[in-house]
Amino acid sequence: MEFTHNISILGSTGSIGTQTLAIAREYSGIGVKAVTAHSNIKLLEEQIREFKPELAAVTDEKKAKELKIKVADTPTKVIGGREGLIAAAAHDSAETVVTAVVGISGLEPTIEAIKAKKNIALANKETLVTGGHIVTALAKRYNTAILPVDSEHSAIFQSLMGNHRKELKRILLTASGGPFFEKKRSELADITPEDALRHPNWHMGSKVTIDSSTLVNKGLEIIEAKWLFDVDIDKIKVLIHRQSIIHSMVEFVDNGIIAQLGAPDMRLPIQFALTYPNRLPMNGNELDFSELVELTFDEPDTETFYALELAKRAGREGGTLPTVFNGADEAAVELFMKRKLSYLGISEAIQRAMDDIENIADPSLEDILETDKLARAAVYKYYKGV
Ligand code: NDP
Ligand code: MG
């Protein structure tokens, strides 16, 4: 099939980034015009040699200098620092920007990409969590599309296709439940990063894997869904679905429910965000119903995994509260990965930061970035016992 689409990938060395490149490898019509990494220049160099992008950005300045020397024999231009990430986001020849960096670092480049009239294949949920009101308004103003890459949101998007949004009653957002499903708080005190990184169904970057185990990820996804589909937080119901076969569902006013199913495989949501409204064949990983023993559904245990409730509160109250939720989590996960904070300390730190930091209504980008710094600083203080 004839298909051409030029893309820029922010975070090409990560889990979503490398899977996006696997799709580009399959379909030569997908042109990779810009790639970025934070520090993994070994992999970035391989990507430059294989995909021949016009631009490569490395946010770590020292590594950017090293890469410039390594790829001096190629026509690829290398830019370092935040400036490089922004340049890749607004790069001329790309029509769509895949936002696959981790954390709030995705917010500014996404804003710049929209201002440069790019469509956004959005993996970086933190962008909508922290700056949803700014990003969705800009996308309207510049007439660009935000296409979800997150599997649940892609499922909701696919299930809504051909239906009237005003007839939507609620969203049923599925969650795997992570590695500690059915565990109580007392059983989670000694959880190590290795335990939390063992996700039952998905292989993802470390931050999103830890977030899946605490249900912070599902909390972020509720807020992401609020902005993507313009629905109230209370119309989004989380269902624990251990098999990750139903990727989410929508329920209409007549009680009709439409779901999207498939084997857990991020290639489909990534590919669909690039080919929408068309679909391209996918090799392997078909859902085999004869092997499907059961589909189960449970209510989330919001006493143990109370970060989910904190996210709902942040999503309902809005302003900078979702940024506090996210920033505190980013800092807490970083400390947990360094074994400086206990596993249960992650949700505790988020709650404390949400209680301590003042909420600013209708925040500007500067307010959001400032609040993110405050939330991180608060968490570093807590762990030092201040
Ligand atoms: P990874 O950790 O695997 O990759 C992150 C990417 O961002 C890497 O390219 C990394 O570069 C780069 N990066 C890290 N820190 C910074 C920074 N401060 N500034 C700029 N770039 C940075 O993450 P994932 O691919 O798992 O996740 C990416 C996003 O997609 C997240 O927002 C996540 O929530 C979302 N997502 C991921 C899913 C998945 O299946 N993985 C599913 C749904 C959503 P380097 O390699 O050099 O460190
Ligand atoms: Mg998801």
Side-chain angles (χ1 to χ4, degrees), residues 123 125 149-154 173-175 202 204 208 212 217-218 221 224 247-248 266:
K125 58 194 94 188
V149 167
D150 213 344
S151 57
E152 295 80 357
H153 303 73
S154 177
L173 187 70
T174 53
W202 301 98
M204 311 177 285
V208 58
S212 297
N217 181 53
K218 212 46 58 179
E221 289 186 357
E224 181 187 13
H247 297 305
S248 277
M266 283 308 295

Side-chain angles (χ1 to χ4, degrees), residues 114 120 134-146:
I114 295 172
I120 307 295
I134 297 175
V135 170
T136 50
L138 275 177
K140 259 190 209 132
R141 166 137 53 107
Y142 287 91
N143 197 23
T144 62
I146 302 179

Side-chain angles (χ1 to χ4, degrees), residues 326-346:
N326 180 71
D329 175 63
E330 286 196 32
V333 169
E334 187 195 312
L335 291 172
F336 169 67
M337 292 292 285
K338 291 180 180 159
R339 293 165 212 277
K340 290 180 175 170
L341 185 72
S342 71
Y343 182 72
L344 292 174
I346 300 173

Side-chain angles (χ1 to χ4, degrees), residues 348-369:
E348 282 164 20
I350 298 172
Q351 180 158 39
R352 215 171 140 186
M354 283 175 67
D355 290 341
D356 286 354
I357 296 171
E358 195 194 340
N359 190 6
I360 306 170
D362 195 22
S364 64
L365 177 61
E366 290 67 36
D367 293 331
I368 291 167
L369 298 177

Side-chain angles (χ1 to χ4, degrees), residues 180 183-191 304-305 343-344:
F180 311 129
K183 294 250 185 294
K184 293 291 163 207
R185 220 185 283 192
S186 58
E187 297 171 83
L188 297 175
D190 300 324
I191 293 298
T304 305
F305 302 100
Y343 182 72
L344 292 174

Side-chain angles (χ1 to χ4, degrees), residues 10-17 19 36-41 59 82 85 99-103 105 123-126 149-152 202-208 217 221 266:
L10 310 183
S12 62
T13 50
S15 161
I16 295 289
Q19 291 182 85
T36 85
H38 180 54
S39 63
N40 188 351
I41 54 169
T59 38
R82 296 285 300 163
L85 192 60
T99 64
V101 294
V102 61
S105 62
N124 180 262
K125 58 194 94 188
E126 297 90 341
V149 167
D150 213 344
S151 57
E152 295 80 357
W202 301 98
H203 294 286
M204 311 177 285
S206 53
K207 155 83 170 33
V208 58
N217 181 53
E221 289 186 357
M266 283 308 295

